[in-house]
Amino acid sequence: MLRIYIKTYNSLLLNQMIQQLKNNPKLKTLVNFTLLPAKYKNFVVKKSPHVFGRSKEKYYLKTYSCVIIFKYIRKKDLISLFKLVRLFKYREGLGFKFIIF
């Protein structure tokens, strides 16, 4: 069994990756997807060092996560998965974590 955890700050990249895995005929029957809820991280930054509490800017960072579970995996399926990930156009924006058990 193989689990792949994917984290990104761009939900469109995550959706494109999931669509590519769904459209792949070799991996279509092996894969289960679980989208995890988005996490927010809030930041407050002072605009000026001289004004104490009145001028603040608020920012937030939204993290999207997904778990992809392969029911059973063969060496041939694993190689085709790595080829698909390698050929994905925007893989730099995705964080992958592979767990095999």
Side-chain angles (χ1 to χ4, degrees):
M1 185 187 268
L2 173 69
R3 282 188 186 177
I4 301 173
Y5 292 93
I6 301 175
K7 284 188 179 182
T8 184
Y9 299 116
N10 190 347
S11 64
L12 296 176
L13 291 178
L14 186 62
N15 290 334
Q16 286 177 355
M17 183 68 182
I18 290 173
Q19 287 301 321
Q20 277 195 353
L21 287 174
K22 283 183 181 177
N23 293 337
N24 192 342
K26 294 179 182 177
L27 300 174
K28 190 174 186 177
T29 58
L30 301 175
V31 179
N32 285 335
F33 300 98
T34 305
L35 291 173
L36 300 175
K39 293 183 181 179
Y40 296 93
K41 202 172 207 183
N42 294 323
F43 300 98
V44 178
V45 179
K46 292 183 181 180
K47 284 184 181 179
S48 172
H50 302 294
V51 180
F52 292 105
R54 294 183 184 158
S55 61
K56 294 180 182 177
E57 291 186 2
K58 294 181 181 180
Y59 299 102
Y60 70 95
L61 187 62
K62 195 172 183 180
T63 305
Y64 300 95
S65 300
C66 176
V67 178
I68 301 171
I69 300 172
F70 289 87
K71 299 171 190 171
Y72 60 91
I73 191 105
R74 297 177 297 184
K75 186 177 178 181
K76 184 168 62 171
D77 297 331
L78 192 61
I79 290 171
S80 65
L81 173 70
F82 283 128
K83 284 182 183 178
L84 183 71
V85 169
R86 189 178 58 169
L87 294 176
F88 185 61
K89 191 185 289 186
Y90 302 108
R91 68 179 180 272
E92 292 86 16
L94 299 172
F96 292 100
K97 182 179 180 182
F98 294 92
I99 299 176
I100 299 174
F101 57 92

